[in-house]
Amino acid sequence: MVGAGLSTLIWDLRWLQSIAHHPAKLWKSPKGNKKSQAIDVDRRSWPRISTPPNALRSSPPYYSLEKPLPSIPHHLEQSSLTEVEISHLPPQAIRVPLSKFAIMPSILSSSETFPARTPLPTTTVSTFPPLISWRLGTFLLVIFSLSFLTILLLRGLLPGMVPRAFSLFSSLYLAGTIIFGGGPVVIPLLREYIVTPGWVSPRDFLLGLALIQAFPGPNFNFAVYLGALAAKGTSVPSFVGALIALFAIFTPGLVIVLGFLGLWQNLQKRAWFQAILRGVNAGAVGLVFTAVHKLWQIGLVGGHGAAGGGQPLGGDPWLVFITAAAFVSGKWFGVNAPVAILMGGTGGIARWAIFIR
């Protein structure tokens, strides 16, 4: 995510383009510069002719197109002044003949034919004051950073000496901090932090994942289920393990959001900050695709023991058909997610009744 944000920042601020154009300026031909300088000198040497604002109204209301343009005054025509000297002469009012398509001064002065234009209604955008001050936001971010570093140090220095309750809290606290991209991204990380140490079996993990996907709500609720199972076999009750997992997985995101709310009024106007956000969003989408691919590789619930660790869904044509049907019905036919889940469950029952029973 840091790489995605920095790459967008470098691209939007055109740092690489400026570095690439710098050598080109050194090798640029000097002839073009002399030519442009000569053109500028010629333009500066043109005579300056200014017309007072009341010259148009003091002129007759209409001139014919056949009338010739005013000639150069006699005293200037006979003189030997150069163009540079002419440009320093005092300005003189010169009457320019009007075109037959021009508006007459009488029409311009009439207020009955063309009434005054009414001003357009203006809309005022109300800016809401920040919920918290930038000082409080900075304080929350500093406290959270210190707590995060403390938990990481204890997790690294005392790997086998802390109770499972603290290990569960530290693992889910870490998962809630480094997760970007939403719920699907957290599933592979929870599998690594909860299933790999042996706290929850792979089969229970996949069954709970299927159960969580069938109900509304964020995928972070899956951590509550895992916390209750991870507390089994310890002195900590299951509901306490669920509460520990709930607090650990949701606290980092809440604190970080509250901290940035105090700084948002200043950061949202910065171009570099918007560039970083665009890169982070793009990187999060990539992580979502990666998480979906990992779920595809372990989505098939096997039997008990080692086979329950999950198998690729691509090995079963029936499940591939159910996945494709859910995708097509939701993408092009507007089928709601609950209906697609019910269709998938019906397809699973049909598979069990035809092939397994």
Side-chain angles (χ1 to χ4, degrees), residues 120-134:
L120 297 176
T122 58
T123 58
T124 58
V125 180
S126 59
T127 57
F128 296 96
L131 298 178
I132 60 176
S133 62
W134 66 270

Side-chain angles (χ1 to χ4, degrees), residues 27-307:
W27 292 94
K28 190 174 181 181
S29 174
K31 296 182 179 180
N33 296 335
K34 293 182 179 180
K35 184 177 181 180
S36 60
Q37 293 175 2
I39 294 176
D40 294 339
V41 172
D42 294 340
R43 289 178 179 176
R44 288 195 299 269
S45 63
W46 290 350
R48 302 174 183 176
I49 301 176
S50 60
T51 303
N54 57 354
L56 182 61
R57 294 187 177 274
S58 62
S59 59
Y62 179 75
Y63 285 94
S64 174
L65 291 177
E66 288 77 12
K67 185 175 181 179
L69 293 174
S71 58
I72 301 176
H74 180 71
H75 66 281
L76 293 179
E77 184 178 6
Q78 299 296 332
S79 63
S80 60
L81 297 177
T82 61
E83 292 181 355
V84 178
E85 293 173 342
I86 291 176
S87 62
H88 294 283
L89 292 176
Q92 298 180 0
I94 300 177
R95 294 184 178 182
V96 181
L98 296 176
S99 170
K100 63 179 180 180
F101 300 105
I103 302 177
M104 297 182 180
S106 60
I107 297 179
L108 292 176
S109 62
S110 177
S111 60
E112 297 180 358
T113 307
F114 298 96
R117 181 180 297 179
T118 57
L120 297 176
T122 58
T123 58
T124 58
V125 180
S126 59
T127 57
F128 296 96
L131 298 178
I132 60 176
S133 62
W134 66 270
R135 295 182 178 88
L136 180 57
T138 306
F139 175 76
L140 290 176
L141 293 177
V142 170
I143 293 299
F144 170 75
S145 301
L146 293 177
S147 65
F148 180 73
L149 293 176
T150 303
I151 292 175
L152 285 183
L153 288 176
L154 293 177
R155 178 185 174 92
L157 296 177
L158 306 173
M161 302 175 60
V162 294
R164 182 179 296 184
F166 179 79
S167 299
L168 175 65
F169 175 81
S170 61
S171 298
L172 295 181
Y173 196 82
L174 178 61
T177 303
I178 64 176
I179 282 300
F180 292 90
V185 183
V186 76
I187 302 302
L189 198 60
L190 291 179
R191 178 182 172 85
E192 180 181 354
Y193 288 165
I194 303 298
V195 177
T196 302
W199 301 339
V200 178
S201 65
R203 177 181 174 82
D204 292 339
F205 180 88
L206 294 176
L207 290 177
L209 177 61
L211 185 63
I212 290 296
Q213 296 297 328
F215 286 94
N219 285 334
F220 277 25
N221 294 335
F222 187 38
V224 179
Y225 165 83
L226 296 177
L229 291 183
K232 291 177 59 177
T234 63
S235 59
V236 179
S238 297
F239 74 93
V240 176
L243 292 178
I244 291 175
L246 175 66
F247 180 78
I249 196 70
F250 281 102
T251 299
L254 294 176
V255 175
I256 292 175
V257 169
L258 287 177
F260 271 101
L261 279 179
L263 306 176
W264 178 251
Q265 295 294 333
N266 296 327
L267 292 179
Q268 65 177 345
K269 303 175 184 179
R270 308 292 181 179
W272 60 267
F273 185 72
Q274 296 178 4
I276 292 176
L277 288 183
R278 284 194 293 269
V280 169
N281 289 333
V285 172
L287 292 179
V288 169
F289 279 103
T290 303
V292 171
H293 179 263
K294 289 184 177 180
L295 291 178
W296 175 267
Q297 297 295 329
I298 62 171
L300 178 57
V301 180
H304 297 279

Side-chain angles (χ1 to χ4, degrees), residues 304-327:
H304 297 279
Q311 301 174 9
L313 291 174
D316 194 327
W318 185 265
L319 296 180
V320 173
F321 170 75
I322 294 176
T323 305
F327 174 76

